[in-house]
Amino acid sequence: MTASPPAFLSRSTGRQLKAVLFDTFGTVVDWRSGVATELGRFADRHGLTLDPSDLADKWRAEYQPSMETVRSGQRGYVPLDQLHLENLKRVLERSGLSLARFASADLEELNLAWERLPAWPDVREGLQRLKSRYVIGPLSNGNTALLVNMGKNAGLPWDVVVGLDLLRVYKPDPAAYLGAASVLRLHPGEVMLVAAHNGDLAAARAAGLATAFVPRATEHGPGQATDLAPASDWDAVAADFIQLASTLTPSG
């Protein structure tokens, strides 16, 4: 019987990988086109004239500031789906749309856009190959219900879903990265974060995780100017998840 080759050895941690976890919004799923599609349908139902992609960008622009109110201690922990709903209402009002014209149920339904995001074309094949060797799952600011439903809708073959509502923190707090490793009963160096965002990878490395960069050059649309290339010597750099799987599972 032929022994399988060893797992990927991280240069930065000196440990063999046991789990590969993924930033999700932008890295695994295309939030911009998915949210814009849902906003377009919402506009049609309500007879609105708006640019769905522009409104998707404005909605997403509220993401980091809203989480920062939690990270800074201005408010207690609030799960991301609640922040998304608050941000949606804020963006609609700033766009000159009175919230009074929409039923609460309509806004809550629109907020589910974040659970219906399409995976990038290379994702499912790459994840299936990685799953043959490693524990795989999201390491996302999303809460558990959001991530579970997203995974079902997008056909993501996760082994585990640890939403950060379970840890009550938001990345880049080190507790997010260390907590995910702890839940899996793994040393941080046995866990790799895969992300399309250099800042996320820098925080993961500082917490002791292995890192891999996969660019998503159109995450923010055709004019994207950030995160087009690796900003450091991450443990792995790949063009997409299929190439990443070839790097981390050489027998695959």
Side-chain angles (χ1 to χ4, degrees), residues 26-47:
T27 301
V28 176
V29 292
D30 178 2
W31 62 262
R32 188 174 190 264
S33 69
V35 170
T37 296
E38 295 288 338
L39 283 167
R41 292 170 180 161
F42 180 81
D44 289 343
R45 287 195 301 272
H46 292 277

Side-chain angles (χ1 to χ4, degrees), residues 88-202:
L88 170 62
K89 293 176 180 179
R90 186 178 301 111
V91 166
L92 290 174
E93 288 186 314
R94 287 176 181 169
S95 300
L97 297 170
S98 171
L99 296 181
R101 68 184 296 177
F102 308 115
S104 294
D106 287 342
L107 297 180
E108 290 167 1
E109 175 67 19
L110 178 56
N111 197 45
L112 296 179
W114 297 96
E115 299 182 359
R116 298 169 179 155
L117 304 177
W120 296 106
D122 55 282
V123 162
R124 283 186 289 271
E125 180 181 344
L127 290 181
Q128 286 288 359
R129 290 176 58 182
L130 288 163
K131 182 182 175 77
S132 69
R133 174 64 62 84
Y134 304 103
V135 173
I136 63 169
L139 177 42
S140 166
N141 283 321
N143 47 292
T144 304
L146 188 162
L147 294 171
V148 167
N149 293 332
M150 178 197 294
K152 285 288 189 183
N153 287 324
L156 307 176
W158 298 135
D159 292 312
V160 63
V161 175
V162 181
L164 288 187
D165 55 320
L166 302 180
L167 301 173
R168 301 182 70 80
V169 295
Y170 282 119
K171 295 187 295 180
D173 189 318
Y177 308 98
L178 296 174
S182 178
V183 166
L184 296 174
R185 293 194 302 186
L186 294 176
H187 186 282
E190 297 171 329
V191 178
M192 171 177 278
L193 176 68
V194 179
H197 311 120
N198 285 286
D200 198 0
L201 294 177

